[in-house]
Amino acid sequence: MALVTLHLRSETKPLEHRSALTPTVTRKLLDKGFKVNVERSAERIFDDEDFATAGATLVEEGSWPNAPEDHIIIGLKDIPTSPLAIAMFKNQGDWKEVLGRFPRGGGTLYDLEFLADEKGRRWVNPACSQALSLDKADTSYLLRVAAFGFHAGYAGAALALLDWAWQLEHGNKEALPSIGYYQHKSDLDAVVKEQVSQGLQKNKGKPPRVLVIGALGRCGRGALECCRQAGIPEEQILKWDMDETARPGPYDAIKEADVFINCIYLSDPIPPFISTEFLKQGTRNLSVV
């Protein structure tokens, strides 16, 4: 098999510090026989030398347009004229122009969240040797082929808990200020735990009741882990998934919670979990969505 070369481009979107590859994953790819080129970047959360130590070849920033045609370019967000993201497949702004650039330029677009197995399914459990022979309607053992979700759920839950604590201190007339980025997860964990602790003092020691819908998915698991790291007692974390939402919403349990974190992947229209009119009815504890 010909050697496949992956080219990690430097992100150009302002304040984008994330990386589509980590040094650890880079090492795994190299061990699998891939060649990995990594553009130098002053903005990326990982240092260039972290990738060099992992065995990648460092190349000049912004060199991806001149890479050989058989190289696979890996990136997250913007390319120089339009947004490039999973949202393009969901009919968001400029999607025709963005996606049209690939066939016009003779390129091929691989979208991680739309990868499917050889039977056209987006769901498969690689740990189950019989997964590929399961009936298409049987989803009891199926998982996403690829997903970004865990850390998206973790970060979303962190912001939700910070907002809960902020409102206890400042009320709801002053919005939570913009949050920057953290060099390490442990830094984020420390800030969230400290703010939740201060919130508990304002709330007479009562922790927030957190409802996570989509709790069994990757995004949901990330949200649950963040709540646990912040010190939220397990009995205060409500874990909902497809069984609990089989009946159409809206749901009183959302109003009864202090924090609602929605972690579902929605591909088809469904009745809303909550609505403005629903929230106006009766009383509610909910302060953060």
Side-chain angles (χ1 to χ4, degrees), residues 13-15 25 28 45 52 64 76 100 159 163 190 216 224 281:
K13 182 180 176 68
L15 305 179
V25 170
K28 292 180 179 179
I45 193 69
W64 66 271
L76 286 176
L159 291 173
D163 197 20
L216 298 182
L224 296 178
Q281 298 170 11

Side-chain angles (χ1 to χ4, degrees), residues 37-269:
N37 293 340
V38 175
E39 290 187 9
R40 297 180 183 276
S41 172
E43 297 298 323
R44 189 184 293 124
I45 193 69
F46 300 106
D47 293 334
D48 295 340
E49 291 308 312
D50 293 339
F51 288 99
T53 300
T57 301
L58 296 180
V59 297
E60 290 304 309
E61 183 175 9
S63 60
W64 66 271
N66 299 316
E69 290 187 0
D70 61 346
H71 287 198
I72 298 176
I73 312 302
I74 302 177
L76 286 176
K77 296 297 287 187
D78 288 18
I79 51 177
T81 56
S82 298
L84 173 62
I86 184 66
M88 293 300 101
F89 282 101
K90 298 178 180 177
N91 297 335
Q92 292 196 9
D94 295 329
W95 70 272
K96 289 183 180 180
E97 172 60 24
V98 173
L99 296 181
R101 294 174 64 183
F102 290 90
R104 289 197 302 270
T108 300
L109 173 63
Y110 299 99
D111 193 295
L112 185 61
E113 289 213 319
F114 281 81
L115 293 179
D117 64 21
E118 60 267 33
K119 293 187 178 182
R121 296 177 302 183
R122 296 183 54 227
W123 306 82
V124 61
N125 181 352
C128 178
S129 61
Q130 298 178 348
L132 295 180
S133 64
L134 290 174
D135 181 81
K136 190 171 183 178
D138 181 6
T139 60
S140 58
Y141 295 99
L142 301 182
L143 298 173
R144 290 280 287 279
V145 173
F148 296 106
F150 183 89
H151 292 99
Y154 200 103
L159 291 173
L161 294 175
L162 288 174
D163 197 20
W164 173 80
W166 173 269
Q167 291 185 44
L168 288 171
E169 178 69 28
H170 301 275
N172 58 9
K173 294 183 179 180
E174 185 178 354
L176 176 72
S178 176
I179 304 296
Y181 73 98
Y182 297 87
Q183 287 287 346
H184 301 284
K185 172 180 171 294
S186 58
D187 297 336
L188 172 64
D189 288 343
V191 170
V192 175
K193 192 166 187 176
E194 172 62 23
Q195 291 302 309
V196 168
S197 177
Q198 293 182 20
L200 291 177
Q201 296 177 27
K202 291 285 184 180
N203 206 35
K204 300 179 180 180
K206 182 182 177 182
R209 189 168 179 83
V210 181
L211 172 58
V212 179
I213 296 186
L216 298 182
R218 298 189 191 202
C219 184
R221 294 201 302 271
L224 296 178
E225 180 61 21
C226 179
C227 291
R228 292 168 181 140
Q229 288 293 327
I232 308 300
E234 200 70 26
E235 62 271 15
Q236 289 294 105
I237 307 174
L238 281 71
K239 310 169 189 70
W240 278 30
D241 209 84
M242 295 180 69
D243 288 345
E244 290 79 7
T245 57
R247 175 184 61 82
Y251 304 108
D252 288 329
I254 295 179
K255 289 199 298 186
E256 294 166 0
D258 299 290
V259 177
F260 167 45
I261 304 175
N262 185 15
C263 296
I264 71 166
Y265 177 85
L266 185 62
S267 56
D268 297 303

